Amino acid sequence: MIDNLTYIRNIGIAAHIDAGKTTTTERILYYTGLIHKMGEVHEGAATMDWMKEEKERGITITSAATTVYWDLSQKRYQINIIDTPGHVDFTVEVERSMRVLDGVIAVFCGVGGVEPQSETVWRQANKYNVPRLAFVNKLDRIGADFFGVLDEIRDKLKANPIALQIPIGAEDDFHGVVDLIEQKAIYWDDQSLGAKFYKEDIPQELLDEAQQWREKMLEQLAELDEEFMEKYFEDHYTVEDIHRVLRKATIENTAVPVFCGSALKNKGIQPLLDGVIRYLPSPVDLPPVTGINPFTKKEEERHPDPQDSFAGLIFKIASNPFVGNLAYLRVYSGTLQAGTTVYNSRTGKRERIMNLYRMHANKQNLIKEISAGDICAIVGFRDIKTGDTLSDPKHPIVLESIDFPEPVVSVAVEPKTQADSPKLQEALSRLQDEDPTLIVETHPETGQILMHGMGELHLEVLVNRLKEEFNVKVNTGEPKVSYKEAITETVEHHHVLKKQTGGKGKFAELLIRVSPVDGDVKGLVFEDKTTGGVIPKEFIPAIKKGLELGMNTGPLAGYKLHGVKVELLDGSAHPVDSDALAFEIAAKDALQEAARKANPILLEPIMKLEVFVPEEYIGPVQSDLNRRRAVIQGLEEKAGLQVIKAYIPLAEAFGYVNDLRSITSGRGSSNMEFSHYAPVPAEMQDEIVRVLTGRLF
């Protein structure tokens, strides 16, 4: 373990599906000496894709962590790596990884360029202000265009890419890269599987192009740093000056250094690792984290210092058959030793952490302690969930948690035999601990167990895990859309709760105004506009809680309300019969009755869709999309294929992949990700509501 935080890097590898993230990670593990044989994704042998579902499907489903060591300039660096999924259904794995990472390698396919999930992971990195390097992969593929991908990074992601390399050769002839900083050509030895590489003079035919791109790189750096600008104009800069400006600009998120290669052909990885060390930040390069003291409610800081008070964030829970639940922990300050007691700010309770592990995919290596700036897994806890802050009991703190998207698809599950019912409940509980985007509920009328997830594949994988990992045999229904409800008018509603039994009664009077909010606003927006103490202040939190409960059941078909503004205008309380519970019940009922009068509508999830097809299939594919209520946004050419961009209702998108293959004789492909909620067409709403309320799920 590295003691000096300057020599630690916490990085993630993120990209669109099939851009080559896991293959890139596999090469990093091999060249750093952590593994001695490279496994391939397409053979189901990649180290980081350890789950059975990942091996069978050839995709990453869960983020996996490992630690490698890399030497640069005669110094040894520790790199903690998290390999994240690229499929949109598992975007939560990227979200929670971004929350705790100090830097990211964004991998782009040299053919596909900036794809929909590339944009999603880029937005997630922007959200947490994570510095990035870019690696343009698969330059050996037909249609690969390194310079086209550079343009897309600039235009689609609004980033400032700075090419540090250009490829030597293209497609089948790609065989090396030009290092624009050192002005050398780099080639890899195929006999050693790329472990050995050598530098030569730049080929004569590339000299002019390399010089042009080097000048462009230097000009971009000069725009970012005044000191370097002076040295550039005086022609007195050094290679160290270039590295300094690139590091500063990367950490400040004003530039993205771009590398290139082909991970599958073992080319380009070592310079990328050098770039991780040179340009991405160590824990001490970033500002201290801030949080709230749960008792004083004041903001406090924690510094990346092993001597500071301990504070860390749980960013992932994983079920392990040998040690039980593992919780992945990013330590921001202080030192945690095995057997130490910590404070969980969510539960307000202390937890004793029995063991600490350094992870390598699904393998655990026992360690005695972990310090600021590092990542580990812990076991031996009672109640810890994703997003929890653990801290020194004497110096408690609550760090910013993690936001998770809401599920858009649901499926009904039931045990095949009554004897499996307890096992199903236990298995679902453990899956929920692992996956915050899985919501499980029992329908109040049918008694069915409903699993709500991020997509068809997400739920399919979870159902398969129930059968394979937890040995629970289940029957499943067809996937269903998770609709939402919204109000379209502003109404005022007066509500009185008055119950008198033999003893103390229940009394609460409220006057509320409900109104719709902008589409981007989710959940409840609450404002207390009462004056003169007509409702005692101690009851206001109970009113808000009741309104939040009321948001869970819409007036049309019982779906959650998407976004409602509620203003508390007036009310009254009884000196004896009023209490917090009375106002909570009254608020819940008041909102639901007001929503019925506010012209409610049904909202459906809309997906952003890209379809890649040969030109001869454009007509049939567009006709099929029109039949599915898709709104086509445009058409462009990319890598010899036509790309149809559209928005499509999720309800019409089930099974689309198979239908597209049928229409295009297997030559078409598509990408889809959630975009937004939109009103269901009026002519369809009544029928959907009738079906939903008459034959629920």
Side-chain angles (χ1 to χ4, degrees):
M1 189 170 73
I2 301 289
D3 292 327
N4 190 333
L5 296 186
T6 306
Y7 300 115
I8 291 179
R9 301 290 182 272
N10 293 308
I11 69 164
I13 301 182
H16 186 89
I17 191 170
D18 286 339
K21 298 175 306 303
T22 302
T23 303
T24 301
T25 308
E26 199 74 9
R27 269 59 185 170
I28 290 173
L29 301 186
Y30 182 71
Y31 298 138
T32 56
L34 190 60
I35 60 174
H36 303 289
K37 180 184 177 184
M38 287 185 283
E40 304 297 357
V41 174
H42 58 271
E43 296 172 355
T47 306
M48 302 298 273
D49 286 352
W50 56 270
M51 287 175 61
K52 182 180 178 183
E53 287 284 323
E54 294 177 312
K55 292 179 181 295
E56 291 178 352
R57 297 173 186 271
I59 63 171
T60 303
I61 290 171
T62 182
S63 54
T66 192
T67 299
V68 299
Y69 297 89
W70 186 245
D71 295 334
L72 181 67
S73 303
Q74 299 181 325
K75 294 174 182 173
R76 170 147 286 206
Y77 292 81
Q78 174 183 322
I79 308 175
N80 298 320
I81 302 174
I82 298 179
D83 176 34
T84 65
H87 196 286
V88 63
D89 281 16
F90 307 104
T91 190
V92 63
E93 294 288 339
V94 185
E95 180 80 20
R96 57 179 162 195
S97 299
M98 289 292 184
R99 171 64 183 82
V100 299
L101 292 172
D102 298 334
V104 166
I105 298 173
V107 181
F108 297 93
C109 172
V111 180
V114 176
E115 298 171 277
Q117 193 64 9
S118 310
E119 298 180 59
T120 300
V121 299
W122 201 267
R123 285 196 301 271
Q124 289 170 314
N126 285 341
K127 177 178 177 181
Y128 296 110
N129 204 32
V130 183
R132 275 144 276 179
L133 305 181
F135 179 61
V136 181
N137 191 26
K138 298 191 176 184
L139 291 181
D140 59 306
R141 294 265 303 272
I142 294 174
D145 180 3
F146 172 72
F147 304 107
V149 177
L150 272 181
D151 291 338
E152 288 195 4
I153 293 173
R154 183 180 300 106
D155 298 337
K156 290 187 176 181
L157 302 179
K158 309 304 179 190
N160 180 25
I162 299 181
L164 307 189
Q165 302 171 337
I166 60 171
I168 301 174
E171 300 179 345
D172 288 344
D173 188 42
F174 171 71
H175 56 281
V177 303
V178 173
D179 183 330
L180 298 176
I181 297 177
E182 295 190 357
Q183 301 182 83
K184 289 288 184 182
I186 307 175
Y187 302 97
W188 281 264
D189 172 41
D190 291 335
Q191 294 298 111
S192 66
L193 298 177
K196 297 178 181 177
F197 60 95
Y198 52 94
K199 297 181 180 181
E200 293 185 354
D201 291 336
I202 299 171
Q204 193 68 34
E205 66 274 15
L206 272 179
L207 273 175
D208 288 345
E209 186 177 16
Q211 188 58 38
Q212 289 173 11
W213 279 98
R214 177 177 164 82
E215 282 301 314
K216 183 174 177 60
M217 174 191 74
L218 294 171
E219 288 171 5
Q220 286 178 276
L221 294 178
E223 291 175 4
L224 294 169
D225 188 273
E226 288 186 13
E227 181 184 341
F228 184 80
M229 181 182 290
E230 291 178 13
K231 292 184 176 183
Y232 171 61
F233 286 132
E234 294 171 2
D235 203 23
H236 283 156
Y237 59 88
T238 64
V239 167
E240 285 69 29
D241 289 326
I242 294 174
H243 291 323
R244 176 187 64 79
V245 179
L246 276 168
R247 179 175 180 77
K248 179 173 177 285
T250 304
I251 292 173
E252 292 175 352
N253 271 312
T254 56
V256 180
V258 183
F259 298 81
C260 61
S262 168
L264 187 63
K265 296 300 174 67
N266 310 314
K267 293 175 172 61
I269 301 302
Q270 293 92 338
L272 179 63
L273 277 167
D274 289 345
V276 167
I277 302 304
R278 285 191 174 116
Y279 310 129
L280 290 179
S282 72
V284 297
D285 293 315
L286 298 171
V289 295
T290 59
I292 303 296
N293 185 308
F295 298 111
T296 66
K297 306 301 180 185
K298 292 182 179 178
E299 188 174 281
E300 295 182 4
E301 289 185 344
R302 292 290 185 271
H303 297 82
D305 180 352
Q307 305 306 316
D308 200 350
S309 301
F310 167 72
L313 186 77
I314 299 294
F315 66 95
K316 177 181 171 69
I317 304 289
S319 180
N320 186 289
F322 304 108
V323 297
N325 276 357
L326 282 165
Y328 286 72
L329 173 72
R330 164 65 196 266
V331 182
Y332 284 99
S333 64
T335 300
L336 178 66
Q337 296 176 330
T340 302
T341 297
V342 298
Y343 178 78
N344 184 335
S345 55
R346 176 183 59 85
T347 63
K349 296 178 180 177
R350 298 186 178 204
E351 292 271 4
R352 185 174 171 83
I353 307 304
M354 299 305 297
N355 289 317
L356 306 174
Y357 295 102
R358 189 169 297 287
M359 297 301 296
H360 174 48
N362 64 328
K363 298 180 176 64
Q364 310 94 34
N365 298 311
L366 197 64
I367 56 177
K368 293 182 178 178
E369 66 176 30
I370 195 84
S371 295
D374 217 336
I375 290 173
C376 73
I378 62 175
V379 298
F381 50 85
R382 295 188 304 275
D383 182 13
I384 290 179
K385 297 187 182 300
T386 300
D388 283 358
T389 298
L390 304 184
S391 57
D392 181 343
K394 296 178 182 176
H395 301 92
I397 194 171
V398 183
L399 302 176
E400 179 190 0
S401 190
I402 307 171
D403 294 327
F404 298 114
E406 293 185 21
V408 294
V409 180
S410 62
V411 65
V413 293
E414 63 181 19
K416 284 196 172 180
T417 66
Q418 197 60 38
D420 280 331
S421 185
K423 287 170 63 178
L424 175 60
Q425 295 291 349
E426 171 66 20
L428 288 173
S429 176
R430 291 179 65 179
L431 287 176
Q432 278 188 286
D433 285 342
E434 286 188 34
D435 186 348
T437 60
L438 169 64
I439 295 177
V440 178
E441 64 178 6
T442 302
H443 195 277
E445 294 185 25
T446 65
Q448 279 185 312
I449 298 172
L450 300 175
M451 295 172 60
H452 303 278
M454 300 305 298
E456 286 182 275
L457 180 61
H458 182 208
L459 292 176
E460 185 183 327
V461 166
L462 290 173
V463 169
N464 284 346
R465 289 186 63 194
L466 285 175
K467 298 172 183 176
E468 299 287 342
E469 286 182 37
F470 298 97
N471 197 28
V472 180
K473 296 180 175 63
V474 294
N475 297 318
T476 59
E478 291 294 317
K480 303 285 184 182
V481 175
S482 288
Y483 293 96
K484 288 189 180 295
E485 299 183 28
I487 61 173
T488 59
E489 296 177 3
T490 298
V491 300
E492 290 188 6
H493 179 72
H494 176 245
H495 188 84
V496 179
L497 171 69
K498 191 173 184 179
K499 290 185 179 178
Q500 193 65 50
T501 53
K504 182 173 179 266
K506 293 283 184 203
F507 179 86
E509 182 180 14
L510 300 172
L511 176 63
I512 62 171
R513 180 191 294 134
V514 300
S515 52
V517 294
D518 293 337
D520 292 337
V521 179
K522 301 174 185 176
L524 172 71
V525 178
F526 174 64
E527 287 186 21
D528 176 15
K529 291 194 169 182
T530 58
T531 58
V534 291
I535 299 176
K537 289 297 179 188
E538 63 265 27
F539 297 145
I540 300 300
I543 293 172
K544 185 177 181 183
K545 182 181 177 183
L547 293 172
E548 288 169 344
L549 290 171
M551 294 287 292
N552 291 330
T553 309
L556 286 174
Y559 286 104
K560 289 185 177 181
L561 286 163
H562 187 53
V564 178
K565 180 179 180 181
V566 180
E567 298 164 277
L568 179 60
L569 304 177
D570 201 357
S572 67
H574 188 276
V576 176
D577 292 344
S578 291
D579 56 20
L581 181 59
F583 276 98
E584 180 183 320
I585 295 169
K588 176 175 179 276
D589 294 344
L591 175 57
Q592 293 183 338
E593 291 176 18
R596 288 190 190 94
K597 300 190 292 185
N599 193 19
I601 59 170
L602 207 60
L603 302 177
E604 62 180 344
I606 304 296
M607 311 300 285
K608 183 179 179 182
L609 174 70
E610 283 191 351
V611 187
F612 302 82
V613 293
E615 190 167 1
E616 60 264 34
Y617 295 106
I618 287 179
V621 170
Q622 286 185 327
S623 294
D624 181 63
L625 288 174
N626 290 331
R627 180 181 64 80
R628 294 173 183 268
R629 295 194 287 128
V631 178
I632 295 173
Q633 300 292 304
L635 191 66
E636 63 180 49
E637 187 174 344
K638 194 177 204 178
L641 294 173
Q642 297 296 315
V643 183
I644 303 169
K645 297 188 175 185
Y647 288 103
I648 183 171
L650 177 60
E652 307 289 350
F654 289 134
Y656 181 68
V657 172
N658 292 332
D659 290 349
L660 179 64
R661 287 197 191 110
S662 177
I663 294 170
T664 62
S665 302
R667 296 174 66 190
S669 62
S670 63
N671 295 313
M672 196 182 306
E673 66 172 346
F674 172 73
S675 174
H676 61 281
Y677 275 89
V680 171
E683 64 274 14
M684 298 181 64
Q685 178 172 295
D686 291 345
E687 176 62 18
I688 292 172
V689 171
R690 186 185 66 78
V691 171
L692 290 172
T693 53
R695 183 174 49 82
L696 281 164
F697 301 93

